Amino acid sequence: MTTEQDIQTAFGKMKTADRIKWLYEEYGSRLVLSSSFGLQAAVMLDLVSKHAPEVPVVWIDTGYLFPESYKYVEELKEKLNLNLKEFQPKLTSARQEALYGKLWEQGEEGNAQYGLINKVEPMNRALKELGTDVWLSGLRRSQSSTRVERPFLEQQKKTLKVYPILDWTDAQVQQYYRDNNLPKHPLEAQGYKTMGDWHSTQPVA
């Protein structure tokens, strides 16, 4: 029986494409990729589209994204021929604000409720509806000092989260964009270093 430690060890010796192919061979329809279509999302989207194109790509549309982000989703969806599965919160943005006000302006408690409504619940619903319990993510160690010890995979409740490009450097990411002629998020050129909802994302001065 293959253990998590076996996979950790094997992944350290594999090329990224082989990691994704192996995951699809091992887990098949249990596998899903989540994507925010953020500044570096095109790398994982392209890798999956080339090496496991059947894998569904879950995108949570919070209703609060930048117009440029919505256009970027459509561009990558068409260019990469993604098996895109779109999920939205059960409450529209207008209804949320009518009932609760602007939750992102209401401190820690408001932001927690905002996250549950707009991100956690739709993602949990997506996993349940698609019947998937192995969740691919483009998280990388070099993105944060808190991730340097992160393993390639970790069990989180009923879901196994796997990070195929965990060991990639920023330079590798940029080289992949160039080698594969991938479009950048249009707001990156305007100084944005992260990408999320418009009300909580600012460019770096």
Side-chain angles (χ1 to χ4, degrees), residues 15-76:
K15 293 182 178 179
T16 305
D18 294 329
R19 293 170 184 169
I20 292 172
K21 291 175 184 175
W22 182 89
L23 286 165
Y24 186 68
E25 290 171 0
E26 184 76 9
Y27 296 110
S29 61
R30 294 171 58 191
L31 200 62
V32 67
L33 168 66
S34 67
S35 181
S36 65
F37 286 82
L39 299 187
Q40 298 181 351
V43 171
M44 274 298 299
L45 291 168
D46 188 66
L47 284 165
V48 166
S49 73
K50 287 176 176 173
H51 304 295
E54 300 87 355
V55 171
V57 177
V58 171
W59 169 52
I60 306 300
D61 173 13
T62 64
Y64 287 99
L65 303 180
F66 288 93
E68 292 87 347
S69 293
Y70 287 110
K71 293 176 183 177
Y72 190 52
V73 170
E74 296 303 316
E75 181 180 11
L76 288 179

Side-chain angles (χ1 to χ4, degrees), residues 68-122:
E68 292 87 347
S69 293
Y70 287 110
K71 293 176 183 177
Y72 190 52
V73 170
E74 296 303 316
E75 181 180 11
L76 288 179
K77 178 182 176 181
E78 182 176 345
K79 180 179 177 64
L80 303 180
N81 193 30
L82 301 173
N83 181 16
L84 189 64
K85 306 295 183 183
E86 303 175 21
F87 288 82
Q88 293 84 27
K90 290 184 175 181
L91 299 179
T92 65
S93 55
R95 189 173 178 186
Q96 285 179 57
E97 291 181 45
L99 293 174
Y100 309 117
K102 297 178 179 179
L103 287 168
W104 61 89
E105 294 181 350
Q106 298 174 29
E108 186 175 341
E109 185 175 336
N111 276 290
Q113 186 179 3
Y114 179 89
L116 287 173
I117 293 172
N118 293 285
K119 300 174 183 180
V120 176
E121 189 281 326

Side-chain angles (χ1 to χ4, degrees), residues 142-205:
S142 62
Q143 290 172 319
S144 169
S145 60
T146 61
R147 296 174 178 172
V148 293
E149 299 298 328
R150 180 85 60 149
F152 280 108
L153 68 163
E154 51 190 356
Q155 192 73 41
Q156 294 185 353
K157 297 183 179 179
K158 295 181 180 180
T159 303
L160 181 65
K161 294 198 73 172
V162 189
Y163 314 113
I165 60 171
L166 184 72
D167 52 353
W168 280 35
T169 64
D170 292 344
Q172 282 178 281
V173 169
Q174 298 308 319
Q175 188 64 49
Y176 191 90
Y177 268 89
R178 291 190 291 269
D179 291 346
N180 294 276
N181 194 30
L182 294 175
K184 294 290 190 74
H185 193 292
L187 290 179
E188 184 173 349
Q190 297 183 30
Y192 287 83
K193 299 301 181 185
T194 60
M195 185 50 52
D197 294 332
W198 61 261
H199 51 71
S200 56
T201 309
Q202 300 291 331
V204 175

